[in-house]
Amino acid sequence: RLERWGLWAGVAVAYVLCAYVLASHLVLSGDAMSRTLSAANTVTGRDPHLESIGFVWPPFPAMFQIPLVALSRWFPSLVSLGLAGTIVSALLMATMVASVRQWLEESGASRPVRLCVAVLLAVHPFVLLYAGNGMSEASMLCFLVIAANRLARWWERETPLDLIACGLALAMAYLSRYEVGLSILLVVAAVFAEGV
């Protein structure tokens, strides 16, 4: 338990610091800022309501920011610098790294191997970038790794709960980025082929 939560907390703190550095130097994309502003409109807009998020883009990246954006009255940089989005992407990417470590533990990997792989994944340049830029890739990758882990567990143990968890994780990934639709079709085909 200490290994699991210690790794997650350490990676999350490092990613939040990385996110702060990127946001304070205005290294954020327009898409990340627009999702933060969509979240802000649901809380602090002229007519605050959930539909202010809009559904042109998948809703989860903006919805996850709503609790942080609600604090923007006391911490304006959460919206003005886009810190709400970068904090959310940092926490989700830390969860993705912790999920990979858990998957390795369930697969029987030794502690040095799983920690080494988790640390190498955590410091990968693209993982660092998406952990700190406030984009939706962190959310998508987090839920795809969880879905893949649960699918692998279902193949091994054939428990319905794992397949349900896989489906829920895929749905959350789809509500983060629409490109996940192909992954959903592939998982459905794999599960169907396994049952035939």
Side-chain angles (χ1 to χ4, degrees):
R1 186 171 291 190
L2 177 63
E3 176 190 339
R4 180 185 310 157
W5 290 106
L7 176 74
W8 182 86
V11 171
V13 167
Y15 284 168
V16 168
L17 291 174
C18 178
Y20 177 76
V21 169
L22 287 174
S24 62
H25 288 87
L26 301 176
V27 187
L28 296 180
S29 72
D31 286 347
M33 283 302 294
S34 69
R35 289 184 175 102
T36 300
L37 294 176
S38 294
N41 285 336
T42 65
V43 178
T44 61
R46 188 175 61 197
D47 179 24
H49 57 284
L50 192 57
E51 292 87 12
S52 296
I53 285 182
F55 292 98
V56 174
W57 298 104
F60 272 13
M63 287 177 69
F64 290 151
Q65 295 181 45
I66 290 175
L68 290 171
V69 166
L71 303 173
S72 65
R73 173 183 291 176
W74 301 281
F75 305 102
S77 59
L78 287 170
V79 173
S80 63
L81 292 179
L83 280 177
T86 59
I87 290 170
V88 166
S89 65
L91 295 177
L92 286 166
M93 199 60 91
T95 303
M96 188 270 296
V97 171
S99 297
V100 168
R101 190 219 60 84
Q102 180 182 349
W103 192 353
L104 290 169
E105 181 180 7
E106 292 167 359
S107 301
S110 66
R111 176 176 288 172
V113 168
R114 62 183 180 250
L115 287 177
C116 182
V117 170
V119 168
L120 287 174
L121 175 65
V123 298
H124 189 281
F126 279 111
V127 173
L128 284 172
L129 176 67
Y130 287 122
N133 69 0
M135 294 290 289
S136 57
E137 281 81 2
S139 180
M140 176 190 71
L141 287 172
C142 175
F143 295 123
L144 280 178
V145 166
I146 292 170
N149 182 8
R150 289 304 187 138
L151 183 63
R153 288 173 67 178
W154 175 76
W155 266 321
E156 182 182 330
R157 300 186 300 198
E158 294 189 1
T159 55
L161 190 59
D162 287 325
L163 195 57
I164 291 168
C166 174
L168 288 173
L170 283 172
M172 294 179 82
Y174 181 75
L175 290 172
S176 301
R177 286 192 67 94
Y178 292 141
E179 291 89 340
V180 175
L182 179 60
S183 299
I184 293 171
L185 292 175
L186 291 173
V187 168
V188 168
V191 170
F192 180 76
E194 180 75 15
V196 170

